[in-house]
């Protein structure tokens, strides 16, 4: 019986998939361990996976047992390792966020955060994307209200503003559409 991390196997090939293989240190130790095996022809790393090219007739179960002896994290449950990696990543993100927020400037106390480009809290604690969507909805509401109540110039101006904002929004996010 194959271990849980053997995603697929056939004659001469096997794919190992485990969340721990996403870590550089684990991936390099797995490559080193498999490089010492005589039955392994080639190891191709992927994103949290490894493709093994094997000699014909290799006993994959015994190969996996030897691999688990050299890299014990593979013997652990995938869900447990994934949860541990998520918790570690979350702790790192929190630490980065705390270190960015530690130096408050005068503009940050007024409600504006002048963080780096990747900073999600830009204006009044709202991300730029959410602020843009809310502004488009507000302008659309003004356009609708003025269209129903009668002032045609305001309706046309709000409609033009909404078209410009919506076209910019689509253009900036065109790959996601």
């Amino acid at each position: 019986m194959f271990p849980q991390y053997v995603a697929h196997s056939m004659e001469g090939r096997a794919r190992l998939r485990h969340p721990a293989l996403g870590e550089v240190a684990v991936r390099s130790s797995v490559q080193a361990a498999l490089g010492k095996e005589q039955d392994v022809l080639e190891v191709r790393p992927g994103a949290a996976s490894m493709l093994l090219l094997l000699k014909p007739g290799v006993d994959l179960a015994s190969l996996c047992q030897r691999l688990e002896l050299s890299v014990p994290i593979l013997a652990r449950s995938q869900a447990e390792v994934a949860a541990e990696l998520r918790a570690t990543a979350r702790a790192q993100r929190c630490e980065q966020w705390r270190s960015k927020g530690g130096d408050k400037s005068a503009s940050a106390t007024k409600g504006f955060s002048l963080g780096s480009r990747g900073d999600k809290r830009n204006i009044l604690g709202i991300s730029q994307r959410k602020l843009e969507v809310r502004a488009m909805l507000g302008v659309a509401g003004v356009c609708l209200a003025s269209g129903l109540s009668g002032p045609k110039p305001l309706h046309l101006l709000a409609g033009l503003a909404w078209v410009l904002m919506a076209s910019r929004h689509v253009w900036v996010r065109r790959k996601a559409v």
Side-chain angles (χ1 to χ4, degrees):
M1 185 81 184
F2 294 132
Q4 182 183 10
Y5 58 85
V6 176
H8 117 99
S9 67
M10 57 189 276
E11 186 69 29
R13 293 171 61 109
R15 168 124 2 232
L16 309 180
R17 190 175 311 277
H18 196 280
L21 292 174
E23 298 292 314
V24 176
V26 175
R27 190 175 16 218
S28 63
S29 63
V30 167
Q31 280 184 303
L34 290 173
K36 296 175 186 174
E37 294 286 335
Q38 295 175 354
D39 296 331
V40 178
L41 299 174
E42 187 178 350
V43 179
R44 295 181 187 168
S49 71
M50 294 274 189
L51 177 66
L52 308 178
L53 300 179
L54 307 167
K55 289 182 180 176
V58 173
D59 184 19
L60 186 60
S62 64
L63 178 71
C64 290
Q65 286 176 348
R66 291 190 302 270
L67 181 63
E68 288 175 5
L69 290 176
S70 60
V71 185
I73 195 168
L74 293 178
R76 292 175 52 198
S77 166
Q78 291 185 12
E80 178 185 333
V81 172
E84 186 178 302
L85 291 174
R86 280 193 306 271
T88 305
R90 185 179 308 119
Q92 288 175 348
R93 284 193 309 269
C94 288
E95 187 60 37
Q96 288 174 351
W97 182 78
R98 285 186 187 119
S99 67
K100 283 182 185 178
D103 52 341
K104 302 234 182 232
S105 62
S107 62
T109 58
K110 292 180 184 174
F112 293 99
S113 173
L114 299 175
S116 64
R117 187 167 171 84
D119 190 8
K120 297 286 185 194
R121 296 175 34 167
N122 288 328
I123 300 170
L124 298 172
I126 302 171
S127 69
Q128 288 181 350
R129 183 175 179 174
K130 283 185 180 178
L131 190 64
E132 179 181 330
V133 170
R134 289 175 183 177
M136 283 191 328
L137 288 173
V139 170
V142 169
C143 180
L144 182 64
S146 64
L148 293 175
S149 65
K152 188 149 183 118
L154 179 61
H155 173 69
L156 290 174
L157 184 64
L160 179 64
W162 183 84
V163 166
L164 291 174
M165 292 171 80
S167 59
R168 182 199 174 277
H169 179 79
V170 169
W171 177 256
V172 169
R173 289 162 181 79
R174 65 187 174 275
K175 289 187 179 178
V177 173

